[in-house]
Amino acid sequence: MSGKAEGTTSRTRLDRGRGALGPALELVHTGRAPTRSVLTAELGVTRATAGAVAAELEALGLITVDARPGAAAGSQGRPSHRLDVAEDGPVVLAAQVHADGFRAALVGLGGRIVATAPGCETVDADPAKVLGSVVDAGTELLRGSGRRCLGAGLAVPSAVAEPEGLALNPLHLAWPAGSPVQEIFAERVRAAGITGPALTGNDVNLAALAEHRHGAGRGARDLLCVATGHRGVGGALVLDGRLHTGSSGLALEVGHLTVNPEGRPCHCGSRGCLDVEADPLAFLRAAGRDPGPEVSLLQQADDLIRDQHLDPAVRAAVETLIDRLGLGLAGLVNILNPDRIILGGLHRTLLNADPDRLRAVVADRSLWGRSGGVPVLACTLDYNSLVGAAELAWQPVLDDPLRALT
């Protein structure tokens, strides 16, 4: 075949597979297509079309194709080309604001954190000041990296109304309710010269999305995530690979499930909610410890469990919070019937401290737990809310790589 004919055939294959560029990139991004043969099977296309699609993604600087991986010992036949995200490819700016400060990061495809920078320990009451500092930290990272930036994502500890991007209840920040955080963030991102999307989401929602694509939730169909970070308790649900955010972004406010009717008053006006009965401050109080100003409440609680787990008061506090958390999880299992639960923040530490007790409470208090048992696992990603914020910015690229990059 002549070179001209070969080029025409290759272009025809790519044209046929152009609609598969996004699905193919997502398969490599999430680690579900480590080889070209797996990509071919997952896309349901011919080997030639899969090869043309992979070559185009490589030409865009998004993935690498290793044509000489070497056959594994004992294997037969020609080994398939290996696929991976490009280590030196473009990045997105990801940021997270929490009660004790903020963190900015550059995140590549595959959920890989390229660089990260912590921020202040005191969050200003003006969200514009905080988000300006966040973007400044991110642009400093970009200058040092020399990488192309395709967008930005922000995680905040609040329900975020869609599509406006309003932080409706930033209870553990001094920000006004209904702060237009997405608009402010987008303005700062544009002023910094960063193009592409600039999107905002709830921190636990984004942690769940990251864990589903890259961590402990991979492969789950109906994934429930519950976590407590620096203050309060949040939850998220991923259904068939997509976040379930409800009609306007406000679903899964699990922190306001009542687990102790005679418990502490909650910010929401109720009493004994998970938000005030199973977070780091609640643990420190249950253990009879006064929280100090030196480090975050989360670190103080984690350190106490790790370093003083033999102390009777600490053991009792662990059991108390496990029982409260387990009661809340059991109620969620009865309503949602997830096939997997993942826990983050202090809840991950509690699970690791006494996994049998927590799993027993969930099983004993839930109908579906008794009938089959729902796996309860620890989140595995460092900075999963940051990685999830990056997923917001990566989504347009995953949907249409050509449009996003050209």
Side-chain angles (χ1 to χ4, degrees):
M1 182 183 292
S2 69
K4 182 177 179 180
E6 288 179 355
T8 300
T9 301
S10 178
R11 285 195 299 274
T12 301
R13 288 168 181 162
L14 179 58
D15 288 340
R16 290 174 179 170
R18 196 172 294 279
L21 285 175
L25 181 59
E26 184 164 343
L27 286 166
V28 179
H29 171 63
T30 56
R32 290 178 291 152
T35 66
R36 199 171 68 181
S37 63
V38 175
L39 182 68
T40 301
E42 290 287 338
L43 293 178
V45 298
T46 65
R47 288 178 57 191
T49 297
V53 168
E56 177 70 4
L57 292 175
E58 185 175 38
L60 290 171
L62 297 173
I63 73 169
T64 59
V65 180
D66 183 358
R68 297 172 299 166
S75 64
Q76 296 182 358
R78 182 180 178 183
S80 180
H81 296 184
R82 295 199 61 81
L83 308 177
D84 201 357
V85 299
E87 291 189 3
D88 58 351
V91 296
V92 296
L93 168 61
Q96 180 184 11
V97 178
H98 51 74
D100 295 307
F102 67 79
R103 184 174 292 272
L106 304 181
V107 183
L109 283 167
R112 298 176 182 178
I113 295 179
V114 174
T116 180
C120 62
E121 295 184 0
T122 302
V123 177
D124 194 274
D126 181 358
K129 290 183 180 180
V130 178
L131 297 182
S133 298
V134 165
V135 175
D136 287 345
T139 52
E140 187 66 26
L141 291 174
L142 277 173
R143 278 193 291 269
S145 74
R147 309 278 277 270
R148 181 182 179 184
C149 185
L150 300 179
L154 170 68
V156 293
S158 169
V160 177
E162 298 173 349
E164 301 90 348
L166 307 178
L168 294 187
N169 59 342
L171 298 176
H172 304 294
L173 303 176
W175 293 357
S179 294
V181 291
Q182 183 161 291
E183 179 182 342
I184 296 169
F185 182 60
E187 289 175 352
R188 298 300 186 273
V189 167
R190 297 289 173 266
I194 298 172
T195 59
L199 302 170
T200 303
N202 169 264
D203 53 0
V204 179
N205 275 354
L206 298 180
L209 181 61
E211 291 285 346
H212 186 268
R213 290 183 175 179
H214 307 293
R218 185 181 290 174
R221 179 178 176 183
D222 299 331
L223 175 69
L224 172 64
C225 175
V226 177
T228 177
H230 297 260
R231 291 292 301 274
V233 174
L237 184 66
V238 180
L239 301 176
D240 289 327
R242 300 291 178 184
L243 276 172
H244 174 71
T245 57
S247 60
S248 57
L250 309 180
L252 270 292
E253 281 292 309
V254 306
H256 301 292
L257 287 172
T258 299
V259 294
N260 182 11
E262 305 303 320
R264 299 181 179 90
C266 183
H267 317 279
C268 71
S270 187
R271 181 178 289 274
C273 296
L274 269 177
D275 214 50
V276 292
E277 297 288 339
D279 77 339
L281 182 58
F283 175 77
L284 293 170
R285 287 173 172 169
R289 302 303 202 270
D290 292 325
E294 299 83 10
V295 295
S296 71
L297 295 175
L298 176 60
Q299 185 174 335
Q300 291 178 60
D302 280 343
D303 290 347
L304 191 60
I305 295 173
R306 184 186 66 245
D307 300 335
Q308 301 185 43
H309 61 279
L310 297 179
D311 184 298
V314 174
R315 288 206 310 272
V318 167
E319 293 175 356
T320 296
L321 260 72
I322 282 178
D323 290 348
R324 292 171 184 169
L325 174 60
L327 182 60
L329 293 177
L332 292 167
V333 167
N334 287 335
I335 296 169
L336 301 173
N337 188 28
D339 58 20
R340 194 179 309 174
I341 300 170
I342 57 173
L343 302 179
L346 178 62
H347 294 164
R348 174 174 62 177
T349 307
L350 292 170
L351 173 65
N352 291 334
D354 196 343
D356 292 339
R357 185 184 186 95
L358 179 56
R359 290 173 177 135
V361 173
V362 175
D364 290 345
R365 294 297 192 115
S366 62
L367 175 63
W368 310 125
R370 287 198 300 272
S371 65
V374 181
V376 182
L377 307 175
C379 290
T380 57
L381 298 179
D382 293 329
Y383 307 124
N384 52 16
S385 291
L386 272 177
V387 175
E391 292 296 317
L392 288 180
W394 277 118
Q395 193 59 53
V397 183
L398 299 176
D399 291 340
D400 192 340
L402 276 177
R403 169 179 274 187
L405 272 72
T406 58

